[in-house]
Amino acid sequence: VSSRIRSMGVRVISSTGERIGYGKTMMRAARATSNRFLLMLNDDCYMDPGSVSKMVEVMGHSVGVVGSLLRYPSGKIQHGGQFRPPGVIGFGHIDHGKMVNTHKIPTDMESVTFASALVRREAFYAVRGFDERYDCYSEDTDLCLKMYQGGWRVVFQPGSTGIHEESQD
């Protein structure tokens, strides 16, 4: 870990070397911190300069989670918030595969992706964090729903942008 990162007050939690699942990995990292906010970022996600500041800007007292606008390397949208149409099982990604995002201002959502999410520590522990029984996928949706049910807001911040390699497009 570079001395520049350490000088910024960033604490890096090293991998166990084993694949233990996203929820368990993030819970392990969260337990090793004491800051007011937790930045949860996938290792294949690269945020644009100023993106974290944009997330903090909308982190009002009732906000538990702030998610970002993420694009594939091609520029197509990977994540622009998530929705659940009435009568449909599961969540769709808003504007997935498009070049232009629908939301231009911070918008409340039921769920955002945790490939890039800023989480209020107080809210995270109030809803007991991630359900560690999930191996990979849906644990972020589950956490967002718990936040929402616990009275916390989940906000998509289109001003916070980055590239998420994911499985490409």
Side-chain angles (χ1 to χ4, degrees), residues 22 26-27 30 33-41 52 55-56 58-60 62-68 112-130 139-140 143-144 147 152-155:
Y22 184 84
M26 290 296 124
M27 290 298 290
T33 67
S34 58
N35 293 10
R36 185 173 168 203
F37 301 121
L38 306 168
L39 178 64
M40 299 194 174
L41 188 66
V52 175
M55 296 166 97
V56 172
V58 297
M59 188 58 90
S62 63
V63 177
V65 178
V66 178
S68 303
V112 294
T113 183
F114 272 62
S116 170
L118 186 67
V119 183
R120 179 181 302 280
R121 176 184 204 76
E122 173 190 1
F124 184 76
Y125 283 107
V127 301
R128 304 170 75 64
F130 285 107
E139 61 273 70
D140 49 0
L143 181 61
C144 285
M147 291 272 190
W152 296 97
R153 291 175 51 214
V154 175
V155 177

Side-chain angles (χ1 to χ4, degrees), residues 14-22 24-26 28 43 135:
S14 298
S15 169
T16 62
E18 294 181 40
R19 187 186 175 290
I20 60 174
Y22 184 84
K24 283 183 183 177
T25 299
M26 290 296 124
R28 181 177 170 267
D43 61 357
D135 178 55

Side-chain angles (χ1 to χ4, degrees), residues 71-134:
R71 294 182 182 276
Y72 293 112
S74 68
K76 291 181 181 176
I77 294 173
Q78 183 266 329
H79 177 80
Q82 290 178 290
F83 68 97
R84 184 175 47 150
V88 175
I89 296 173
F91 288 81
H93 285 263
I94 296 170
D95 299 327
H96 184 262
K98 296 180 182 177
M99 294 302 286
V100 178
N101 69 313
T102 302
H103 299 285
K104 305 299 182 199
I105 61 172
T107 306
D108 282 49
M109 297 279 171
E110 281 187 295
S111 181
V112 294
T113 183
F114 272 62
S116 170
L118 186 67
V119 183
R120 179 181 302 280
R121 176 184 204 76
E122 173 190 1
F124 184 76
Y125 283 107
V127 301
R128 304 170 75 64
F130 285 107
D131 182 336
E132 295 185 45
R133 295 174 293 180
Y134 285 100

